[in-house]
Amino acid sequence: MKLGRLNHVGVATPSIEKSLELYRTMFGAKPHGEPFDLPTQGVRVCFVDTPNSQIELIEPLGDSSPIAKFLEKNPMGGQHHVCFEVPDIHAAKAELEAKGARVLGEPRIGAHGTPVFFVHPKDMGGVLTEFMETPKH
Ligand code: CO
């Protein structure tokens, strides 16, 4: 398996608006489009572009959001996951599982409109890692 490009770094935040304000003040950075809800992942999302990747700001959506616990432990927010592109999501899942990685659920459509899955941080050196099928343009 070949690791693709770093698509984004996921940053959990209690307020996307406050985080956008921080990126604007510190770097003059603008959001890549408007924040949007991703109900299948239980998060509200907004991207900030960098020259070679993106920051994915994620805010809890609903009471059972998977990032609610993270924010309980890290009330000001913080780095939550990294996301690598792979050419074929199902091949990547099968290969990682064959190597003993715990894949969290079935691939589902992520914030970029292509299928994604997550691997448990305990099997990735403590880093929650998302894999995303490279968008086909
Ligand atoms: Co992500």
Side-chain angles (χ1 to χ4, degrees):
M1 158 168 187
K2 197 163 178 259
L3 210 51
R5 97 182 242 277
L6 175 69
N7 182 276
H8 63 264
V9 174
V11 173
T13 173
S15 163
I16 282 178
E17 274 67 29
K18 280 190 182 145
S19 292
L20 287 175
E21 182 58 37
L22 180 69
Y23 278 84
R24 190 162 36 237
T25 306
M26 292 294 186
F27 314 120
K30 288 188 199 124
H32 180 104
E34 292 294 312
F36 59 96
D37 292 352
L38 199 60
T40 53
Q41 311 268 10
V43 289
R44 186 167 170 255
V45 180
C46 192
F47 286 99
V48 175
D49 292 325
T50 76
N52 64 343
S53 193
Q54 287 184 312
I55 302 298
E56 179 190 44
L57 299 170
I58 48 178
E59 181 187 292
L61 180 70
D63 297 333
S64 56
S65 173
I67 64 166
K69 263 207 185 101
F70 181 92
L71 284 171
E72 256 171 50
K73 286 185 206 152
N74 307 275
M76 68 181 288
Q79 196 252 301
H80 181 259
H81 66 272
V82 296
C83 176
F84 296 108
E85 292 184 13
V86 291
D88 180 324
I89 200 79
H90 294 288
K93 177 174 180 278
E95 189 171 338
L96 289 167
E97 281 177 333
K99 290 175 179 169
R102 275 162 287 184
V103 170
L104 305 170
E106 288 302 310
R108 52 198 186 278
I109 298 300
H112 284 293
T114 69
V116 306
F117 66 82
F118 286 85
V119 171
H120 199 288
K122 283 188 178 155
D123 297 328
M124 288 297 301
V127 180
L128 177 62
T129 305
E130 179 180 12
F131 294 87
M132 163 191 155
E133 194 160 280
T134 304
K136 292 169 181 67
H137 297 297

